[in-house]
């Protein structure tokens, strides 16, 4: 058996799977511990299926949320935390006292890291031998991993829905049962339905806590004060950090998916939130080194830590890296304590300037709908011929220049709708505007892809169309990790057809499963920028 096997992200080696070391930098032992954690969570799900006590099911749901989130790509690389979490999952599972009619995963009880790793043949996803069944099971698991990330963010803002955690329990349990391919296809589609519910919950949590995003011009240069750079996705972390750095002489900058923090009224009001530094997640090795001050990695998208900044990077939440200081979770009714980061920042030089100028964002659904009359008139007059959704994830491969080239080659009468770090491929290009409407409308984080669905549904209503597919709207989506899988399944649930997905189709889709999605939803891979632009403009 190979040392490891992982194909959950777009970087899967050879578009087949990483078998020696992860392309993300994940080592074989870490990959196998992540598999072990998912295996333990499946055992917990099978046990809690039999539990009716609401309090216990809620506790199990919280544990499942956190446990799933920690295993998504580029979140946690800290083996010690995986071992601790696996023990916690097993202990809680056993405390339920359920023993009847349960599979091996519900009785699995290793004590040490060595014992967990020794069982890698049992816990690996390759333990499911049938290729199509394995593909469908993993599609469901990756879908609920992304849902867990979204639900986690909503939960810390006080928004929870037992429908979501109950489905996660159902989905994980189903991945251990002898279900037919048809049954699993049905569960894949149900995952998309629950994904929409989850993203709507997070949207409500964010907007009720921080206000609706507003059109905002964001500085991409630097100031003269020392700074703290915040990356990841956690808006509550940056809120608390901004409050704790007020009046200290320390500036706060966003990086990658934290850029949309500048769009929220409750966050942008802070004078010490001074700009966005750098670009996409994969440029950390250079950008973190040049920043000079401390870096707070709040969630996934951490890459292997380099010596140039190893002494000034911190993790929080689901993020973790061996040897990196982890900020403890907040206690009930309290904020996280960022005093150590702030103290270090005061000793550091200001950031090295990488670029100057500004970028504009904040086009979430509330803001775009406020411009609905202007948008509709632009479509009716012919000023806008087509909308192209280019949301999703960025990545480090050179073939992702495809998305930059598509943005450049799209005619001047098209508007790009985006969310997620895919925007860094084109959000600093001078693409102009159409009657005052910028040609790139950034709705925010990958967490905010729900906004794009709301905008599309509203346009469908305004134009009196029977289907989203009747809109002058194309989807050319970049994907990388499991939250993008969740968004894809959500779009399929909404009935969207003809989505282009790139730069490759997921390795975890077996040929038969991929063909099922192609036949049912006209899912397709990308080709060349020129060919795809031509096809999209023709409504294909």
């Amino acid at each position: 058996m190979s040392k490891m096997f992982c194909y959950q992200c777009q970087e899967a080696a050879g578009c087949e799977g990483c078998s020696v070391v992860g392309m993300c930098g994940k080592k074989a032992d870490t990959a196998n511990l992540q598999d072990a954690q998912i295996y333990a969570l499946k055992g917990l799900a099978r046990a809690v299926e039999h539990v009716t006590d609401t309090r216990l099911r809620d506790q199990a749901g919280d544990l499942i949320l956190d446990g799933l989130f920690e295993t998504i790509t580029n979140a946690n690389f800290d083996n010690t935390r995986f071992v601790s979490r696996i023990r916690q999952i097993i202990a809680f599972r056993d405390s339920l006292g359920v023993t009847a009619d349960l599979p091996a995963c519900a009785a699995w009880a290793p004590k040490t890291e060595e014992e967990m790793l020794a069982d890698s043949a049992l816990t690996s996803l390759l333990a499911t031998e049938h290729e199509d069944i394995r593909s469908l099971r993993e599609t469901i698991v990756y879908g609920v991993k992304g849902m867990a990330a979204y639900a986690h963010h909503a939960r810390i803002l006080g928004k929870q829905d037992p429908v979501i955690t109950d489905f996660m329990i159902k989905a994980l349990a189903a991945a251990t049962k002898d279900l037919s391919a048809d049954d699993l296809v049905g569960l894949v589609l149900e995952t998309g339905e629950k994904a929409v519910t989850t993203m709507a919950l997070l949207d409500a949590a964010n907007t009720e806590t921080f206000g609706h995003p507003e059109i905002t011009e964001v500085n991409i240069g630097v100031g003269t004060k020392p700074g703290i750079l915040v990356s990841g996705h956690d808006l509550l972390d940056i809120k608390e950090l901004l409050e704790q750095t007020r009046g200290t002489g320390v500036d706060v900058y966003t990086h990658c998916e934290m850029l949309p923090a500048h769009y929220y009224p409750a966050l942008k009001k802070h004078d010490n939130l001074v700009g966005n530094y750098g670009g996409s997640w994969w440029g950390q090795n250079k950008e973190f080194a040049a920043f000079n001050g401390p870096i707070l990695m709040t969630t996934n998208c951490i890459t292997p830590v380099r010596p140039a900044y190893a002494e000034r990077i911190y993790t929080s939440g689901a993020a973790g890296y061996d040897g990196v200081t982890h900020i403890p979770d907040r206690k009930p009714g309290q904020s996280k304590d960022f005093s150590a980061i702030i103290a270090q920042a005061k000793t550091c030089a200001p950031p090295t300037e990488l670029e100057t100028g500004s970028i504009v964002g904040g086009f979430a659904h509330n803001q775009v709908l406020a411009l609905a009359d202007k948008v509709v008139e632009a479509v009716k007059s012919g000023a806008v011929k087509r909308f192209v959704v280019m949301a999703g994830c960025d990545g480090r491969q050179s073939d992702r220049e495809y998305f930059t080239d598509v943005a450049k080659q799209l005619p001047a009468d098209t508007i790009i709708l985006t969310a997620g770090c895919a925007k860094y491929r084109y959000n600093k290009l001078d693409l102009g505007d159409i009657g005052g409407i910028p040609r790139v409308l950034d709705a925010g984080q990958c967490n905010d892809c729900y906004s794009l669905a709301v905008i599309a549904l509203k346009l469908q209503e305004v134009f009196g169309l029977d289907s989203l597919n009747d809109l002058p709207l194309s989807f050319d989506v970049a994907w990388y990790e499991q939250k993008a899988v969740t968004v894809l399944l959500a779009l399929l649930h909404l009935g969207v057809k003809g989505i282009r997905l790139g730069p490759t189709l997921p390795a975890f889709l077996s040929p038969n499963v991929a063909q099922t999605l192609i036949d049912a939803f006209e899912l397709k891979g990308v080709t060349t920028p020129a060919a795809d632009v031509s096809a999209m403009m023709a409504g294909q």
Side-chain angles (χ1 to χ4, degrees), residues 52-66:
T52 58
D53 185 300
T54 302
R55 180 181 59 84
L56 291 176
R57 288 183 68 87
D58 287 347
Q59 290 177 0
D62 286 345
L63 191 51
I64 286 169
L65 282 185
D66 293 338

Side-chain angles (χ1 to χ4, degrees), residues 469-490:
N469 301 301
D470 296 329
L471 285 167
L473 176 67
S474 298
F475 288 79
D476 198 16
V477 177
W479 84 282
Y480 181 74
E481 43 90 303
Q482 296 77 67
K483 286 184 285 183
V485 176
T486 305
V487 173
L488 173 64
L489 297 181

Side-chain angles (χ1 to χ4, degrees), residues 219 264 267 275-276 388 487:
N219 172 44
Y264 287 95
L267 301 177
N276 188 73
V388 180
V487 173

Side-chain angles (χ1 to χ4, degrees), residues 244-322:
Q244 292 175 39
T245 50
R246 186 188 299 121
T248 64
V250 174
D251 287 335
V252 175
Y253 294 79
T254 56
H255 177 263
C256 192
E257 284 274 54
M258 291 304 295
L259 165 63
H262 294 272
Y263 311 156
Y264 287 95
L267 301 177
K268 65 186 288 187
K269 69 179 183 181
H270 291 274
D271 293 339
N272 52 331
L273 181 62
V274 299
N276 188 73
Y277 190 83
S280 189
W281 60 270
W282 55 270
Q284 288 175 34
N285 57 334
K286 294 181 179 179
E287 292 167 0
F288 286 6
F291 185 74
N292 298 326
I295 303 108
L296 174 63
M297 180 59 69
T298 65
T299 59
N300 61 305
C301 293
I302 188 172
T303 64
V305 174
R306 302 298 177 88
Y309 56 87
E311 298 302 318
R312 50 185 175 84
I313 184 170
Y314 300 75
T315 60
S316 70
Y321 199 89
D322 186 37

